[in-house]
């Protein structure tokens, strides 16, 4: 199973050692599924981790470890243009949809309820879910 994790899910896993994002991160690290990422997302992680409010609560070494671990995932170098009708309200999240399509993901997991991704329900074969719903799906598929 291939999964795209929104940057907010990855950062939430680092911020709180409890909850669905952390459970998802641990499940990936233990080999329960493959993560699909891209250079665009790795750049976004580095950039977002430098925001003052995140820098205050996220040690740089934890972000560095996350980025290092993600480089062992399925890393897409180039992302295709999105097909007509596939858009996110937040244009900065369009790369997540492109990653799901190009990486032939089964799931796209996001905690961002304002981006419009969740309302789409799916992109290609990927179901778009919040972290808690993805955790439930992982349990059902185990």
């Amino acid at each position: 199973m291939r999964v795209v994790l929104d940057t907010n899910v990855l950062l939430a896993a680092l911020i709180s050692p409890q909850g669905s994002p952390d459970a998802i991160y641990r499940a990936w690290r233990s080999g329960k599924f493959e993560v699909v990422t891209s250079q665009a997302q790795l750049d976004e992680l580095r950039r977002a981790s430098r925001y003052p409010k995140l820098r205050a609560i996220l040690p740089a070494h934890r972000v560095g470890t996350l980025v290092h671990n993600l480089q062992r995932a399925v890393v897409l170098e180039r992302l295709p243009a999105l097909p007509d009708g596939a858009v996110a309200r937040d244009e900065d999240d369009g790369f997540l949809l492109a990653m799901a399509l190009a990486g032939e993901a089964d799931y796209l997991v996001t905690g961002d309820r304002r981006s419009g991704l969740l309302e789409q329900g799916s992109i290609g074969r990927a179901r778009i879910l919040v972290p808690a719903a993805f955790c439930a799906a992982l349990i059902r598929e185990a």
Side-chain angles (χ1 to χ4, degrees):
M1 166 180 19
R2 287 184 161 198
V3 180
V4 171
L5 299 175
D6 193 339
T7 305
N8 64 53
V9 173
L10 293 167
L11 290 172
L14 296 182
I15 291 168
S16 175
Q18 299 168 7
S20 298
D22 182 61
I24 291 167
Y25 183 68
R26 285 185 284 113
W28 167 59
R29 296 286 294 136
S30 68
K32 305 275 190 243
F33 59 88
E34 284 184 288
V35 166
V36 176
T37 190
S38 67
Q39 285 305 131
Q41 184 174 41
L42 295 174
D43 291 344
E44 182 181 60
L45 273 167
R46 290 181 187 105
R47 185 174 55 256
S49 69
R50 292 185 196 112
Y51 295 159
K53 78 176 190 183
L54 287 179
R55 201 171 52 214
I57 58 174
L58 273 179
H61 74 277
R62 295 202 60 212
V63 175
T65 299
L66 172 66
V67 170
H68 176 75
N69 288 338
L70 284 171
Q71 290 174 351
R72 289 185 244 148
V74 178
V75 180
L76 305 171
E77 295 298 323
R78 286 188 282 147
L79 297 175
L82 290 172
D84 290 338
V87 294
R89 235 179 266 140
D90 180 349
E91 64 186 44
D92 291 337
D93 285 339
F95 79 95
L96 295 167
L97 298 173
M99 285 175 15
L101 289 172
E104 299 179 346
D106 300 292
Y107 295 94
L108 189 164
V109 182
T110 182
D112 186 351
R113 296 184 184 275
R114 295 175 291 168
S115 68
L117 297 176
L118 291 166
E119 287 87 12
Q120 290 186 38
S122 65
I123 180 81
R125 72 181 201 193
R127 291 180 52 208
I128 303 173
L129 301 175
V130 295
F134 177 68
C135 284
L138 266 180
I139 292 167
R140 281 192 306 271
E141 292 185 24

